[in-house]
Amino acid sequence: MKLYFFPIAPNPTKVRLYLAEKKEAGCAIDLEPVVVNLREGEQKSEEHLRRDPLGRLPVLETDEGEFLTESLPMILFLEELHPDPPLIGATPLERARTLNMERMVEQGVLYPMARVVHATASPIGLPPNPAVAEAFRAGLPAAFANIEKRMEDGRPFLMGEKPTVADCTLVAGLQFGRMAELDIDEDCPRLRAWHEAFRKRASAQEVLVL
């Protein structure tokens, strides 16, 4: 299998953090990494458009020659192939809770941060759009506060004692947000402590570039 990605992009980073956490937990998934340089427009090449007609990343090429183009489904696919140790949950309820958190993080933090970055300091040269940046920036405090509230019980990770795909998604979004100097609000001390600790993990050190 092959994983096509660009290092700073948030959705590829989410998948790569998931893979790094699986490896850290003792389950190294054999994938060939292939960089597609967004800054040089390689995502618009005929070669890449055969993988994803929309020219997006990441793309997972399976052993069967299929191309998966959405980050969460490719993670679920890999989790089905390599269920132990689980990074989504060991029971139906745990998996539902974890995916619920992952979707809240994706929609509440990663996606808005990506929109702010591309509207202010786009790494692929999109034009500035202050109105869009302000609109998406405005929703971030509530999203952070929601996650902070869930961590009041002292859990070290978003879902409890062990990292999950939800942590990977949030770290990926926060790294991309640094391009626009976005960060967790100061009135979310548990979340800020979690982020500082997670960035020191071997998995994060292997993947993060900013």
Side-chain angles (χ1 to χ4, degrees):
M1 291 190 287
K2 296 180 180 180
L3 180 68
Y4 300 89
F5 72 98
F6 187 66
I8 191 66
N11 284 313
T13 299
K14 170 169 67 175
V15 177
R16 294 178 68 228
L17 283 170
Y18 162 81
L19 291 168
E21 282 295 335
K22 292 289 276 193
K23 176 183 174 182
E24 182 74 9
C27 178
I29 300 175
D30 186 19
L31 285 178
E32 178 185 345
V34 181
V35 174
V36 177
N37 195 319
L38 294 177
R39 288 193 172 104
E40 295 184 3
E42 291 180 357
Q43 73 278 16
K44 300 175 183 177
S45 69
E46 289 185 12
E47 182 181 10
H48 186 68
L49 292 175
R50 284 195 292 269
R51 303 176 195 126
D52 181 358
L54 297 179
R56 301 169 302 176
L57 292 170
V59 173
L60 177 68
E61 182 178 353
T62 72
D63 290 336
E64 297 78 16
E66 298 278 347
F67 294 106
L68 302 180
T69 59
E70 294 291 339
S71 56
L72 185 57
M74 68 180 67
I75 287 172
L76 294 174
F77 171 71
L78 294 171
E79 192 79 350
E80 288 283 340
L81 294 178
H82 305 276
D84 295 316
L87 259 68
I88 294 179
T91 69
L93 183 56
E94 286 180 3
R95 288 191 286 273
R97 287 171 173 164
T98 301
L99 292 175
N100 188 70
M101 174 66 85
E102 196 279 339
R103 290 292 80 199
M104 288 195 302
V105 168
E106 166 84 24
Q107 297 300 316
V109 178
L110 187 151
Y111 180 72
M113 281 195 161
R115 293 298 303 270
V116 173
V117 169
H118 283 302
T120 56
S122 175
I124 58 174
L126 297 179
N129 190 325
V132 168
E134 184 58 30
F136 281 97
R137 195 190 303 267
L140 288 170
F144 288 137
N146 181 38
I147 304 169
E148 175 79 5
K149 180 71 174 178
R150 292 167 184 265
M151 300 186 77
E152 285 184 344
D153 57 6
R155 64 184 69 178
F157 299 99
L158 298 191
M159 295 307 300
E161 295 301 315
K162 297 180 180 180
T164 67
V165 64
D167 298 272
C168 298
T169 299
L170 186 51
V171 171
L174 289 168
Q175 176 187 235
F176 196 61
R178 289 184 167 210
M179 300 196 72
E181 299 183 352
L182 298 170
D183 200 357
I184 300 167
D185 294 344
E186 292 187 1
D187 58 357
C188 296
R190 298 175 186 86
L191 195 53
R192 290 174 68 91
W194 158 84
H195 188 218
E196 181 179 353
F198 199 101
R199 288 183 60 90
K200 294 176 181 178
R201 293 175 62 80
S203 58
Q205 293 291 310
E206 180 180 332
V207 172
L208 300 181
V209 294
L210 182 64

